[in-house]
C-alpha cells in the first residue's frame, strides 16, 4: 500500500462541497481553506486531512514538503479542442482587419480550414502535435483534461482524431476525457445535403465510437452556420441510445433553441452562452446541468461575455474553460481564463476557483472522484508557489503552479521541467 504525507502547506484550498459534489450561488465563494494541516494519501486517494498537532503518529511515512506553497485540487479543464492541426494565423490577421469570425466561416474558412489540415495529417503526427499542448496543461496543474474531436468531419478522420486522443491518454498520467464532436459543422461535401451527413454520424460514426469506447460524450454545435436544434436532436437521440453523455456548444452568436434540446436530452453541460436569453437563463437555474463559460472566446473575438453573474445568482452550476482551439480561442492558459472571468464577467476569485475545480469536474462526470480535496477522492493536486490563493488570479497570465500530483504521484515539478 502506497502511503504518503503532504506537509507544511500554507493553505489547503479544499473546495469542500459538504457532500454535494457541486457548487451553486454563494457556495462557489466558500473554499474551506485549511491551514496547519497535512494531507494523508493512501493508494492514490485522499485518506485523511490531519491537524499538524497530531501528525506525530504519521512520521514514518514518505513526505512531500510544500513549505511556503499552497495546494488546490488538481484543476479540471473540461472543454478543449486540443486535437487540431495547422495554423489559422492568416485568419487571425483577417479578423484584426475587421472581418468577422462568422464571415470567415461562411466563406469556407474557419473550422473547415482546420479540417483540411487534420485530414492531411497522419494519426501519429496528430498525436505528436498534441503532446506539448497536453504538457502545457499539466504544467498549469491540470489533472483532468477533456479533448474533443470535430475537425475530421468524416468517418475516417473523426475516428483518427479520437484514436490520437487515445494515444495521448495512454501516454500521460492525467485523466483524458474524449468527446465526439462530429457535429461541429457540415463538411464541404455535405454543404447542401445535411441529412446525408447526419446519417453518417448516426449510422456509422456513433455506433463505431460507442462499440470501441472511443468517446465518453457526444457534443454538437448549435448555430446558424452549423446545426439546428432539430438536426442535433436526431444525433443526441442516437448518442443517448448508445450510452454516451451529452454536451452542447450553444448560444455563441445566435440563440436558436439549443438550450431546450440540451435540457431535453439531459446534457451534462451547455457551453458558450455568450448570447443567452433571459428566458433560457431561467431554465438553467437549479437544473442538473453545468454552464461551461468560455471567456477566452469573447476576449479573442472581441465580443460580449456570457452572463456569469446572473447565472451564478440564479442557481446555475457555472464552470470555466479555455475552449483552446485554433479559431475562436487560441488560448491554452486556464489561469488566465480565471483572471478574465474575474475582470470581465464579474466573478470573484473564489468563484473562479470553484469553476475550474469541482464544477468543471461535474461537467465531465468526474465530480465524485475529482475537483475537491475531500476524503475518499483521488489525490489530485495543483501546488502553487505562493502563500495566498488570490495570487493565482491576480498574476494575469503567469503560471504559479510548481507541482502537479495525480493520484498521489508527482507528475510535474517546475524545478525538474519534466512532465509524465
Ligand atoms: O468552441 N463554437 C464552435 N467551435 C469552437 C471553435 C472552433 C474553431 O473555430 O476552430 C468553439 O469556439
Ligand atoms: Fe468549443
Amino acid at each position: 500500500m502506497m502511503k504518503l504525507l503532504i506537509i507544511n502547506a500554507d493553505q489547503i484550498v479544499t473546495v469542500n462541497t459538504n457532500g454535494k459534489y457541486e457548487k451553486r450561488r454563494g457556495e462557489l465563494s466558500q473554499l474551506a481553506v485549511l491551514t496547519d494541516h497535512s494531507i494523508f494519501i493512501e493508494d492514490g486517494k485522499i485518506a485523511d486531512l490531519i491537524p499538524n498537532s497530531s501528525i506525530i503518529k504519521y512520521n514514518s511515512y514518505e513526505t512531500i514538503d510544500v513549505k511556503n506553497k499552497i495546494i488546490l485540487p488538481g484543476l479540471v479543464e473540461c472543454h478543449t479542442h486540443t486535437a487540431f492541426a495547422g495554423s489559422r494565423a492568416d485568419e487571425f490577421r483577417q479578423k484584426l482587419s475587421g472581418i468577422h469570425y462568422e464571415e470567415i466561416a461562411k466563406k469556407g474558412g474557419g473550422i473547415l480550414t482546420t479540417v483540411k489540415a487534420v485530414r492531411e495529417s497522419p494519426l501519429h503526427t496528430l498525436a505528436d502535435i498534441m503532446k506539448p499542448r497536453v504538457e502545457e496543461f499539466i504544467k498549469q496543474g491540470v489533472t483532468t483534461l477533456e479533448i474533443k474531436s470535430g475537425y475530421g468531419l468524416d468517418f475516417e478522420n473523426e475516428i483518427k482524431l479520437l484514436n490520437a486522443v487515445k494515444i495521448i491518454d495512454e501516454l500521460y498520467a492525467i485523466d483524458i476525457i474524449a468527446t465526439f464532436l462530429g457535429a461541429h459543422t457540415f463538411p464541404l461535401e455535405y454543404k447542401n445535403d445535411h441529412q446525408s451527413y447526419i446519417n453518417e454520424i448516426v449510422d456509422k460514426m456513433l455506433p463505431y465510437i460507442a462499440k470501441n469506447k472511443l468517446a465518453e460524450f457526444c457534443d454538437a454545435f448549435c448555430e446558424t452556420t452549423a446545426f439546428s436544434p432539430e438536426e442535433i436532436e436526431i444525433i443526441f437521440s442516437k448518442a443517448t441510445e448508445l450510452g454516451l453523455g451529452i454536451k452542447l456548444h450553444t448560444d455563441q452568436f445566435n440563440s436558436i433553441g439549443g438550450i431546450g434540446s440540451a435540457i431535453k436530452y439531459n446534457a451534462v453541460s451547455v457551453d458558450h452562452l455568450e448570447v443567452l436569453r433571459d428566458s433560457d437563463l431561467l431554465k438553467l437555474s437549479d437544473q442538473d446541468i453545468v454552464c461551461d463559460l468560455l471567456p477566452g472566446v469573447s476576449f479573442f473575438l472581441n465580443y460580449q461575455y456570457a452572463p456569469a453573474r446572473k447565472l451564478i445568482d440564479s442557481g446555475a452550476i457555472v464552470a470555466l474553460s479555455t475552449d483552446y482551439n485554433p479559431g475562436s480561442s487560441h488560448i491554452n492558459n486556464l489561469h488566465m481564463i480565471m483572471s478574465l472571468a474575474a475582470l470581465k464577467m464579474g466573478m470573484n476569485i473564489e468563484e473562479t476557483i470553484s469553476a475550474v475545480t469541482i464544477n468543471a469536474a461535474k461537467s465531465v462526470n468526474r465530480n465524485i472522484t475529482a475537483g475537491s480535496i475531500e476524503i475518499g477522492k483521488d489525490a489530485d493536486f495543483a501546488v502553487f508557489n505562493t502563500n495566498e490563493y488570490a495570487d493565482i488570479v491576480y498574476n494575469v497570465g503567469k503560471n504559479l503552479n510548481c507541482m502537479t500530483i495525480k493520484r498521489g504521484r508527482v507528475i510535474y515539478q517546475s524545478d525538474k521541467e519534466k512532465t509524465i
Side-chain angles (χ1 to χ4, degrees), residues 39-306:
I39 306 175
F40 185 50
I41 299 163
E42 245 181 301
D43 286 336
K45 297 220 181 294
I46 300 164
D48 210 351
L49 296 162
I50 310 152
N52 286 345
S53 51
S54 50
I55 201 88
I56 195 85
K57 29 181 196 279
Y58 291 87
N59 65 3
S60 60
Y61 299 116
E62 190 191 331
T63 58
I64 298 179
D65 188 342
V66 291
K67 195 171 168 49
N68 298 326
K69 297 177 176 57
I70 64 166
I71 304 184
L72 267 73
L75 306 186
V76 179
E77 168 51 278
C78 65
H79 180 143
T80 83
H81 302 258
T82 303
F84 66 86
S87 162
R88 305 239 296 270
D90 276 354
E91 293 179 4
F92 182 65
R93 205 184 278 282
Q94 287 178 46
K95 272 189 296 234
L96 296 177
S97 75
I99 304 175
H100 196 271
Y101 174 78
E102 278 182 292
E103 237 173 284
I104 295 170
K106 277 181 197 143
K107 282 194 218 139
I111 294 170
L112 294 180
T113 303
T114 305
V115 169
K116 194 166 174 289
V118 163
R119 288 182 177 181
E120 285 164 2
S121 305
L123 171 65
H124 286 279
T125 308
L126 277 172
D128 284 344
I129 297 174
M130 288 162 69
K131 286 180 204 167
R133 297 176 184 161
V134 171
E135 288 171 18
E136 199 61 47
F137 280 120
I138 295 172
K139 287 178 186 173
Q140 294 168 36
V142 169
T143 51
T144 305
L145 172 65
E146 189 257 17
I147 304 179
K148 302 174 195 296
S149 68
Y151 293 115
L153 305 189
D154 61 21
F155 180 85
E156 182 195 337
N157 289 289
E158 282 297 309
I159 300 306
K160 182 174 73 183
L161 283 169
L162 292 172
N163 276 320
V165 175
K166 193 174 168 196
I167 291 173
I168 290 295
D169 182 33
E170 283 160 7
L171 219 51
Y172 293 95
I174 63 166
D175 282 343
I176 305 271
I177 292 149
T179 297
F180 168 58
L181 179 58
H184 199 182
T185 192
F186 287 94
L188 264 188
E189 50 288 14
Y190 289 113
K191 200 172 163 227
N192 300 312
D193 183 10
H194 285 189
Q195 192 54 50
S196 295
Y197 185 58
I198 293 166
N199 291 347
E200 277 286 296
I201 292 178
V202 167
D203 299 336
K204 279 184 76 186
M205 298 188 212
L206 277 171
Y208 183 90
I209 288 161
K211 185 162 169 258
N212 294 283
K213 297 193 169 29
L214 284 175
E216 212 171 306
F217 296 99
C218 174
D219 196 343
F221 185 22
C222 186
E223 187 52 62
T224 49
T225 52
F227 289 73
S228 71
E230 296 72 32
E231 292 169 338
I232 283 165
E233 290 191 19
I234 300 168
I235 295 164
F236 281 180
S237 165
K238 184 68 180 187
T240 305
E241 183 193 312
L242 292 167
L244 275 88
I246 300 294
K247 288 178 159 284
L248 186 62
H249 284 70
T250 189
D251 294 69
Q252 180 180 9
F253 301 114
N254 297 285
S255 185
I256 60 168
I259 300 294
S261 303
I263 292 174
K264 185 167 161 194
Y265 282 90
N266 283 319
V268 291
S269 72
V270 279
D271 304 48
H272 276 289
L273 313 184
E274 291 86 344
V275 299
L276 186 68
R277 293 193 180 138
D278 281 345
S279 54
D280 280 333
L281 189 140
L282 289 176
K283 291 183 200 153
L284 296 167
S285 56
D286 297 305
Q287 283 284 328
D288 195 32
I289 186 169
V290 178
C291 300
D292 187 16
L293 310 184
L294 315 165
V297 176
S298 303
F299 180 69
F300 197 81
L301 299 181
N302 203 15
Y303 76 120
Q304 74 200 69
Y305 287 79

